[in-house]
Amino acid sequence: MILKKNRFTKLHWYWTRLRTMNPSEIQFRITSLFRNQYEKRFKTGYTSTAKIKSFPTPILFQTKQKYNFNTSEYSIFGTKLNIEKPINWHQDITNGGVFPMRFSRSINTRTEEHGIVKVVWEVNRLQFLTNICLQYQQTKDEAYLDQFVQIIRSWKAANPYLLGVNWYSNIEISLRIITWFLCWEILQVNDLSKNNDSFRIFVEQDWIPLIHLHAVYAHTHPSKFSSSNNHLIAEAAGLFIASTYWDFPESKIWIKESKAILEREIILQHSKNGINKEEASEYIQFITDFFLISMIVGERKGQLFSDEYKNRLYQIFNYISNLMTIKGEVPYYGDDDDGHTLKLKRSTDCSNFQSLLISGTILFQDGYLKSKTGQFDLKNEILFGQKGQDIFDSVKPAPDNKSKIYKDEGHLILKKIEAEKEIYLHIDTAPLGYLSIAAHGHADALSFFLYLDGFPFIIDTGTYTYHSEPEWRGYFKGTLAHNTIRIDGLDQARNGGPCLWSQHYESKLIECTENNDFTYVKATHTGYDSIGVQHIRSYFFDKIKNEIKIVDEFITTKNSEHEYEIPFHLHPNIKVTNPTDQRLILQHPQCNRQLEIQLDPIYFPQFIRGSTQPILGWNSPSFLQKEPTTTIYTKLIKQGSFTITTLLKIVDR
């Protein structure tokens, strides 16, 4: 019975996925199937014998600060990986499942049949190797170099070309390339190999051919059509860095192709204001690093990027700064899987979003970008060296406390900042996501989240999982998990699979007025047109009274009866008291202000925390992690058109 269900689910996913494709993509997919059969028969286990004329000289910088980098334990989504013991490169360390050693593209990665593939891939990104290399450079202890060599050889032996799940996804191949580039730089392989024959032999016979094999894969398996989102960016970045840094026989061709993709995709996948179209805020730091590191490598190896590329990168940095709260936090919207392009971080370093703004400050000498940064961090020390720190130190912060209204993109970031106090309200009137599958977008039209003085009060609940536990995946990306309104138990968009929306809604910003005294926003979406209901929501942010009035209007076409679910998802640290059913007080233990919610008289709220039947009252602070939180929840059954009003008041405690 379970086998039949899995088979039906798989066939349903393929049918739904097929419906998102145009004829050109269908032809491409068919061609890919024939390529897979060819590779399975003739390329499985292929080994590269590539050589390079000379080892590249360093283009990055060494850290001058002494620091003990952990080389024993590494966290994979909250589970400890002991890297001093032999690693099973195909095992899901969270549940013990093991992926089979067969042709990579024939392995099922979309269910938990063998385990959670994201866990396996996170281990195989090998990003813990940078700590081993840094520790070697700090101590010159040969044990760390031996550990590095042993891990590379172990990985190579356990992962013959195209065999096993670690040759399934091109983005994983490219992330390993970037990790190895950083390791090569930190180890200063050019000098090290001159005085260490055994290491030179390892580089020539094991490491270089393995890097070349990864570049071959990156070049021959690009993401195209509806899959050409962040994956394509990653693949182009990995191939560009490999071919620019190491002089392989194919490097000239690879450089031209990968650089053209990066130049094109930074424009296609971002608005003119630098907003990423995948509608996933945490992915911004992941994607921006690909563009940043590619540009740095290119410029230092004589492959300059265009002014248009640099200008769009500057706009991305600006959006990151605008999206940050007063405490430097970037709130969630859309998917998050804790992915990082590289891992170069001490425990005292700032977040990667702030690290990117440090890079932006150095590149563009912009005081506004610096106003949201932390202290100069390890990543930027290695990317830019002492000269970069001198530039960073010379730039004076220039804060900008104004709201940022992105009408075309649908991200309305409303702020009132006085001294160290901030009211931060983000309103979402954006599209569902990018391309036909909108893989990483959430069904969150007209939703909002609210931070006071940098502390989260009403939040986006996060992601939790992708391909495991489909009920939880459906909840966290669905409408009920967001601060908007679900009607008749339906998401605003049609869910076609874990990273697939088969039917999108359109959002429309009807009106937006912004001045020093107030902001007024009115918007709607088409998500419930099929059941004859239009949801119109307006926000009135009174900056004088510190009040936000939310008005929800429902227009039915046939005077029909419908079920309306209205949630407000609170951060787990928020304490709720309710003097009356319609008046609630929300307090954060570290915030000197509180939020009072005056509900419409039609509300009779429930306080739901950690429910599993149905799933409600949860927060996911990071990938594969979830925790109970309080959701203020009301269900209404109403006939015909009606309006409800909610008032949020920010007051001192």
Side-chain angles (χ1 to χ4, degrees):
M1 184 66 71
I2 294 174
L3 183 61
K4 287 184 179 179
K5 182 180 178 181
N6 288 342
R7 190 175 296 160
F8 172 78
T9 302
K10 189 174 182 180
L11 288 173
H12 177 73
W13 181 89
Y14 277 116
W15 171 243
T16 305
R17 184 70 178 87
L18 186 66
R19 292 171 62 189
T20 67
M21 301 179 188
N22 61 32
S24 295
E25 179 169 5
I26 292 172
Q27 183 178 0
F28 167 73
R29 300 294 175 186
I30 293 171
T31 303
S32 297
L33 289 174
F34 283 108
R35 182 197 65 197
N36 288 344
Q37 293 304 310
Y38 169 80
E39 289 184 331
K40 182 179 180 180
R41 185 172 180 181
F42 296 108
K43 292 295 184 179
T44 301
Y46 169 77
T47 56
S48 170
T49 57
K51 299 181 184 298
I52 54 177
K53 295 179 181 178
S54 60
F55 291 171
T57 54
I59 61 173
L60 302 182
F61 303 89
Q62 297 295 312
T63 176
K64 297 179 181 179
Q65 301 182 44
K66 294 295 182 181
Y67 192 84
N68 184 36
F69 296 96
N70 186 359
T71 60
S72 58
E73 283 191 340
Y74 193 75
S75 179
I76 303 293
F77 305 132
T79 298
K80 296 296 183 182
L81 171 69
N82 188 334
I83 60 177
E84 293 184 338
K85 294 181 179 180
I87 298 171
N88 183 339
W89 299 107
H90 308 278
Q91 185 176 46
D92 173 357
I93 63 172
T94 65
N95 62 25
V98 178
F99 283 79
M101 281 297 293
R102 59 172 182 253
F103 180 66
S104 60
R105 300 300 299 180
S106 68
I107 299 173
N108 180 12
T109 64
R110 294 188 176 90
T111 69
E112 294 178 83
E113 179 183 352
H114 307 296
I116 302 173
V117 73
K118 280 287 295 178
V119 176
V120 178
W121 285 342
E122 191 72 18
V123 172
N124 284 269
R125 289 179 179 183
L126 303 179
Q127 291 175 326
F128 51 79
L129 288 177
T130 55
N131 276 9
I132 295 173
C133 296
L134 285 163
Q135 193 70 355
Y136 171 73
Q137 279 295 9
Q138 296 269 329
T139 65
K140 302 302 180 183
D141 185 339
E142 292 291 324
Y144 294 112
L145 189 61
D146 292 342
Q147 184 185 20
F148 174 83
V149 171
Q150 184 275 326
I151 288 173
I152 297 291
R153 283 178 168 160
S154 168
W155 193 94
K156 183 178 181 180
N159 292 276
Y161 189 57
L162 299 180
L163 281 175
V165 76
N166 296 315
W167 290 103
Y168 184 96
S169 173
N170 199 347
I171 191 173
E172 305 304 320
I173 274 75
S174 296
L175 284 165
R176 281 194 291 275
I177 290 174
I178 294 172
T179 295
W180 289 334
F181 156 70
L182 284 166
C183 290
W184 188 291
E185 281 285 320
I186 295 167
L187 291 174
Q188 295 183 304
V189 170
N190 190 40
D191 291 333
L192 180 60
S193 59
K194 293 176 182 177
N195 303 312
N196 188 324
D197 287 341
S198 64
F199 183 73
R200 177 181 53 77
I201 292 170
F202 155 75
V203 172
E204 292 176 342
Q205 296 183 359
D206 291 297
W207 200 10
I208 284 291
L210 188 57
I211 295 169
H212 179 259
L213 205 57
H214 277 61
V216 168
Y217 188 101
H219 176 254
T220 55
H221 297 79
S223 295
K224 291 188 176 182
F225 296 101
S226 58
S227 296
S228 56
N229 49 17
N230 68 84
H231 284 242
L232 180 59
I233 294 170
E235 294 155 11
L239 183 61
F240 178 78
I241 289 168
S243 54
T244 304
Y245 190 68
W246 292 284
D247 187 17
F248 294 120
E250 307 93 335
S251 281
K252 288 184 179 179
I253 296 172
W254 290 348
I255 289 170
K256 183 178 180 180
E257 292 183 5
S258 58
K259 187 166 180 281
I261 293 171
L262 290 168
E263 289 272 9
R264 182 185 73 228
E265 295 303 317
I266 198 172
I267 304 302
L268 287 180
Q269 297 197 38
H270 296 85
S271 74
K272 63 182 180 181
N273 292 309
I275 300 180
N276 185 265
K277 296 178 183 178
E278 287 207 77
E279 302 301 335
S281 60
E282 188 67 18
Y283 266 69
I284 295 170
Q285 58 82 24
F286 183 54
I287 295 165
T288 305
D289 262 334
F290 290 122
F291 291 116
L292 171 66
I293 297 166
S294 296
M295 189 181 78
I296 290 172
V297 172
E299 291 197 342
R300 293 175 190 173
K301 298 291 286 187
Q303 293 292 334
L304 304 183
F305 283 81
S306 68
D307 289 343
E308 187 178 23
Y309 181 101
K310 295 174 185 176
N311 179 64
R312 193 58 55 98
L313 184 60
Y314 174 66
Q315 295 302 331
I316 294 170
F317 287 136
N318 265 279
Y319 180 65
I320 291 172
S321 188
N322 293 335
L323 194 58
M324 278 185 176
T325 70
I326 198 171
K327 290 188 177 298
E329 181 177 350
V330 170
Y332 284 123
Y333 61 78
D335 270 347
D336 164 38
D337 65 3
D338 292 357
H340 287 78
T341 302
L342 51 86
K343 294 284 182 74
L344 281 173
K345 194 174 189 300
R346 298 173 293 234
S347 59
T348 55
D349 283 338
C350 56
S351 74
N352 194 45
F353 278 107
Q354 290 178 304
S355 179
L356 283 166
L357 293 186
I358 294 173
S359 301
T361 302
I362 295 167
L363 290 172
F364 301 105
Q365 300 185 36
D366 187 304
Y368 175 54
L369 301 182
K370 185 174 182 178
S371 67
K372 296 288 186 72
T373 63
Q375 293 183 341
F376 198 78
D377 63 331
L378 174 64
K379 176 184 162 189
N380 281 288
E381 184 181 350
I382 289 176
L383 292 180
F384 295 101
Q386 185 61 49
K387 182 178 179 181
Q389 181 160 10
D390 291 343
I391 294 172
F392 176 76
D393 291 341
S394 70
V395 176
K396 295 181 179 180
D400 179 356
N401 296 334
K402 296 179 181 179
S403 297
K404 303 298 177 183
I405 309 295
Y406 297 102
K407 294 182 181 181
D408 293 340
E409 296 91 344
H411 288 279
L412 315 178
I413 306 168
L414 313 186
K415 299 180 183 180
K416 177 186 176 182
I417 301 177
E418 294 177 332
E420 296 300 313
K421 292 185 175 183
E422 176 188 60
I423 299 172
Y424 178 108
L425 175 69
H426 180 283
I427 300 170
D428 187 341
T429 65
L432 177 63
Y434 187 54
L435 302 177
S436 62
I437 62 174
H440 295 297
H442 288 188
D444 55 1
L446 312 189
S447 67
F448 75 99
F449 43 81
L450 178 66
Y451 282 57
L452 299 182
D453 307 333
F455 299 104
F457 275 69
I458 299 176
I459 60 169
D460 183 293
T461 58
T463 299
Y464 179 53
T465 187
Y466 282 172
H467 296 294
S468 61
E469 302 177 85
E471 296 85 0
W472 288 94
R473 172 59 171 163
Y475 169 74
F476 274 103
K477 75 171 190 171
T479 300
L480 188 59
H482 300 85
N483 303 301
T484 184
I485 295 176
R486 187 170 78 167
I487 304 176
D488 289 348
L490 302 172
D491 288 330
Q492 297 163 339
R494 184 177 297 169
N495 183 5
C499 292
L500 170 63
W501 293 103
S502 59
Q503 183 174 307
H504 299 199
Y505 55 75
E506 292 183 9
S507 298
K508 180 181 179 182
L509 183 60
I510 300 170
E511 185 176 348
C512 183
T513 302
E514 161 77 4
N515 59 43
N516 292 331
D517 296 333
F518 70 88
T519 305
Y520 177 70
V521 174
K522 185 176 183 180
T524 187
H525 68 87
T526 61
Y528 295 116
D529 284 4
S530 62
I531 59 172
V533 182
Q534 183 185 14
H535 177 202
I536 303 171
R537 172 172 276 191
S538 63
Y539 294 84
F540 185 86
F541 177 23
D542 188 326
K543 300 176 186 178
I544 306 300
K545 295 182 179 179
N546 291 345
E547 294 181 354
I548 302 163
K549 183 168 72 172
I550 304 172
V551 178
D552 290 296
E553 182 181 1
F554 304 95
I555 301 173
T556 59
T557 57
K558 297 181 180 180
N559 199 37
S560 51
E561 183 177 271
H562 297 277
E563 176 186 275
Y564 302 85
E565 295 173 276
I566 308 124
F568 296 97
H569 301 280
L570 311 184
H571 188 272
N573 289 339
I574 297 299
K575 178 183 177 182
V576 186
T577 57
N578 53 319
T580 67
D581 282 339
Q582 277 73 42
R583 180 170 174 261
L584 311 175
I585 298 175
L586 278 56
Q587 295 179 335
H588 190 289
Q590 296 172 276
C591 186
N592 294 324
R593 294 196 284 182
Q594 65 186 26
L595 179 66
E596 294 186 10
I597 303 181
Q598 186 68 48
L599 298 173
D600 194 285
I602 202 173
Y603 283 95
F604 288 95
Q606 299 173 265
F607 301 93
I608 298 178
R609 186 178 181 87
S611 171
T612 56
Q613 293 183 345
I615 299 175
L616 189 61
W618 294 92
N619 174 59
S620 175
S622 58
F623 197 69
L624 293 184
Q625 309 293 310
K626 65 179 186 295
E627 59 186 350
T629 193
T630 299
T631 296
I632 303 168
Y633 173 80
T634 297
K635 181 188 291 186
L636 303 173
I637 298 177
K638 297 285 291 181
Q639 183 173 355
S641 303
F642 67 103
T643 300
I644 54 178
T645 301
T646 305
L647 183 64
L648 310 179
K649 300 173 67 174
I650 296 95
V651 297
D652 292 332
R653 292 174 64 172

